Amino acid sequence: MAGNNPNSTPMNLTLKVWRQKNAKTQGQLVTYNVKEISPDMSFLEMFDVLNEDLLRQGQEPVAFDHDCREGICGMCSMYINGRAHGPEKGTTTCQLHMRKFKDGDTIVVEPWRANAFTVHKDLSTDRSALDRIQQAGGYVSVNTGGVPDANEIPIPKPIADKAFDAATCIQCGACVAACKNASAMLFLSAKVSQLALLPQGKVERKTRVENMLAQHDAEGFGSCTNIGACAAECPVGISLDNIAMLNREYISAKATSDNIG
Amino acid sequence: MILDAKIPDGPIAEKWEKHKFNVKLVNPANKRKYDIIIVGSGLAGASAAATLAELGYNVKVFCFQDSARRAHSIAAQGGINAAKNYQNDGDSVYRLFYDTVKGGDYRAREANVYRLAQVSVNIIDQCVAQGVPFAREYGGLLANRSFGGAQVSRTFYARGQTGQQLLLGAYSALNRQIAYGKVQMFPRTEMLDLVMVDGKARGIVTRHLVTGHIESHSAHAVVLATGGYGNVFYLSTNAMGSNTTAIWRAYKKGAFFGNPCFTQIHPTCIPVSGEYQSKLTLMSESLRNDGRVWVPKAKGDKRVPRDIPEAERDYFLERKYPAFGNLVPRDVASRNAKLACDEGRGVGSTGLAVYLDFADAIKRDGLDKVSQKYGNLFEMYAKITGEDPYQSPMRIYPAVHYTMGGLWVDYNLMTTIPGLYAAGEANFSDHGANRLGASALMQGLADGYFVLPYTIGDYLAQNPGPKISTDHPAFKESETNVRATIQKLLSINGTKTVDEFHKELGLLMWDYCGMARNAEGLQFAKDKIKALREEFWRNVKLYGENEDMNQTIEKAGRVADFLELGELMVTDALHRNESCGGHFREEYQTPENEALRDDTNFAYVAAWEYTGPNSEARLNKEPLEFENVKLTQRSYK
Ligand SMILES: Cc1cc2nc3c(=O)[nH]c(=O)nc-3n(C[C@H](O)[C@H](O)[C@H](O)COP(=O)(O)OP(=O)(O)OC[C@H]3O[C@@H](n4cnc5c(N)ncnc54)[C@H](O)[C@@H]3O)c2cc1C
Ligand code: SF4
Ligand code: FES
């Protein structure tokens, strides 16, 4: 309506959607047709339409994760036509719009698949392993209060900018879903780099990288063989440089560990 | 009943220091004997949880998302205020305090606002220590920008992702305490009831969103940091799951609800594009630093923007408010956009939009500089609308964004239920009738890092009662009620989906309790909402069973509460026979269409008390006294 989009003719689409009752059962692709889809809709709004239709017909709506619908919370997570978050580069599922598809298309939608992520139901998966990696060291150990004035820690702008780039990871797990080893190395490296670059994070850099990596492996994520599929699918453009930095951090931690005894 | 806000005595600048000295302390060894429940892991919840755990309390945190880091605070874009005066442009604690009281159109409590301004400086220090990557100048020091309602540059920011970076700071502090075993985290777990024993808040009942498991949790104090209820309007800039359930169920257990009708409509959002629209996207207020708002001078001018010559454009904010220009507070900017559209000068195919134009900024500063400041926002705009804002102006329209109303709290952030606290957007807050940009993040973190840790300690030091088992009959009764309500919803098996009800409610709220309100419309909406609620409980359609991941149950519970809250909002708006801030009653305006306050009769917080399912809420008042800021007609001219 309001979109001054030249291509605003509604589309009819065929969806093949992964349906799985819970973690214990097998799933399968089920075919649905959706009609009158506006190109201005988001991918999730298209799913809203499908779910309302299903519900009205007395069928079970598709479970999927989402919240902000602005590309920032990292909750949405659909594997669309063989790609994490779908065909558009640098875009989360919720920010993917239907104008990227054509009338008559068939779209296959599956959940994230990885050893460390189990399916809760349909398109919703358990990504709590990523939280546990953060808990293993993704922080600067300061308590509230008793910290120096903010401007007593000057940080060169280029360093601050680089740390910022790494800090924008939304913890969606697309990198894991895209990786044939199901490795979470891009995600992990983003946190390690952010904190290793900043003076505040340098104090604990050695234990941090060791502990986070150990947790990563313990969660059953695969190892990184430098394929780069992760960075290609990352919706916020986390760069492979972070993995290189992580490797350097790890090697230097091993060589000069702060651990006494 | 006249409410006592427990404001400490003494001059305003000394109240908080004095209070901190006077509060009772729990000795370090005793802290581990106390359990605290925090519902919500946004800025307010996560910061409170981390800090209380650092002090030694046992903390349980709940959120409905799959990770604490996904709380809605993550979406905040523009920035956070603090009275650092790093820019040496005349800022001070007093000025931030003054701007906030004035911006809130004199409906906030002075003592709280002053404290907020005082601790604002500590927030920035804390965040930087955690590694939050705020924007910096080439010299390595922190950068600032300006936001609406202020003439100084006091807003700290992290590109257009300030909320994300602040929340990740609080989330990292929270993670550290989870790793130490001091915080137990319960994601995908929704609070459905508050449990009281001997008149005190002693726990909650939750539903696990994957298994449907209903469970009780007991504690010595409960904090609700569950965010705002803007989704009562269906369309808003809030995340899809944002809801009122936690605070509403606490309201029904006796916590008073403060100023429910005070809603903020944000002027710069991407306009509605169709029926299927599920949410609205904010374009940060920071854009008004460089973007110029305009509509054609002539009605119904359908030319594309670049064909409309300067002389035929009306930069209405600059024209009407030369002192603040495009940076007037949100309520003023929103109302003026609506006015322009009501006059038939709106743009785009619906006529419900105005332009936000960057052509001058690009000419002045170059494309690079503009894209450095706003790149990610421009990209988001292009993704959603399919148009390029570097080429033609953005189309924007006001949308529901924030709720100043919430649970009434005293100076200690305690509700009218002993042991129950509310923090962040969930309380009726320090923003009066209108919140200034970049002040919600400040308030959430102030509450969590610097206020609650003192005030909860004070409560716990004064014998909150023994540990209580969740076998206590009060928990069992509450669990039974929660289960019964879910079963009731599942068994109705009517013909209308939850979303259909939600959309209908949202439209009523937007049309009659939105940017402009009047007595007749409000009365009409009140009757309609009652009827809609009655239909909901007769005709709503859910699917499946409780013991499953069932998103229809989640939605139905939330909308059931919205259907009750909506009526209270309308009641509140109807009773407040004045205009103030975001509450604009058409009957009460100046000849220039500005909000006309009635300080003689309405300089109070309206705190509503639940009186039962079929009876009207009871009004209680907290009179507001202005000893430091003089009550005047707000002017941004
Ligand atoms: C798009 C957008 C941009 C914004 N930009 C700015 C800005 O630039 N500057 C600024 O100052 N403010 C901004 N705001 C406002 C600000 O972001 C919010 O007011 C603030 O983040 C709220 O924080 P909170 O901690 O109170 O709640 P939230 O961050 O909303 O967190 C609520 C928490 O409660 C949990 N929860 C809710 N209900 C339940 C329940 N029943 N059971 C269990 N858990 C529950 C949720 O899971 C979540 O963890 C913006 C808001 C929006 C919508
Ligand atoms: S690195 Fe990118 S893809 Fe991986 S979790 Fe972070 S944002 Fe998602
Ligand atoms: S729903 Fe938040 S990133 Fe997609």
Side-chain angles (χ1 to χ4, degrees), chain A residues 74 84-85 92 112 117 130 166 168-178 183-190 230-231 233-239 242, chain B residues 69-70:
Chain A
H85 290 307
T92 53
W112 279 180
F117 297 161
L130 299 177
T168 57
C169 164
I170 59 173
Q171 198 165 315
C172 63
C175 46
V176 180
S183 166
M185 210 54 89
L186 189 67
F187 157 75
L188 164 58
S189 70
C230 50
E233 297 294 51
C234 173
V236 299
I238 298 295
S239 138
N242 292 300
Chain B
R69 63 173 281 149
R70 307 206 202 283

Side-chain angles (χ1 to χ4, degrees), chain B residues 190-314:
Chain B
E190 183 162 32
M191 163 181 166
L192 294 180
D193 204 9
L194 176 77
V195 179
M196 313 225 330
V197 176
D198 298 334
K200 291 177 178 160
R202 291 309 306 266
I204 61 173
V205 170
T206 60
R207 176 172 182 272
H208 192 268
L209 300 182
V210 177
T211 62
H213 185 56
I214 309 281
E215 198 175 21
S216 287
H217 301 269
S218 129
H220 295 94
V222 176
V223 178
L224 302 184
T226 49
Y229 51 85
N231 279 349
V232 65
F233 289 85
Y234 186 70
L235 287 182
S236 85
T237 62
N238 289 6
M240 301 299 288
S242 298
N243 68 84
T244 190
T245 292
I247 60 172
W248 191 252
R249 303 211 179 166
Y251 164 71
K252 288 169 89 170
K253 287 285 171 86
F256 292 3
F257 206 118
N259 297 332
C261 83
F262 286 178
T263 314
Q264 176 159 85
I265 315 263
H266 195 292
T268 55
C269 302
I270 301 179
V272 175
S273 74
E275 285 278 313
Y276 50 81
Q277 190 101 25
S278 60
K279 75 155 283 167
L280 294 168
T281 302
L282 173 78
M283 290 282 104
S284 165
E285 174 154 312
S286 60
L287 292 169
R288 286 197 276 143
N289 270 297
D290 288 297
R292 301 179 66 197
V293 177
W294 66 275
V295 290
K297 278 188 180 156
K299 277 185 198 174
D301 186 338
K302 288 288 164 205
R303 288 176 290 177
V304 293
R306 82 175 84 86
D307 291 346
I308 303 179
E310 274 303 310
E312 292 173 43
R313 300 176 175 192
D314 178 15

Side-chain angles (χ1 to χ4, degrees), chain A residues 20 36 73 91 118 122 139 168 190 212 222 236 242 258:
Chain A
Q20 180 174 339
E36 298 288 306
C73 74
T91 304
T118 47
D122 298 339
Y139 44 75
T168 57
M212 290 180 81
V236 299
N242 292 300
D258 283 341

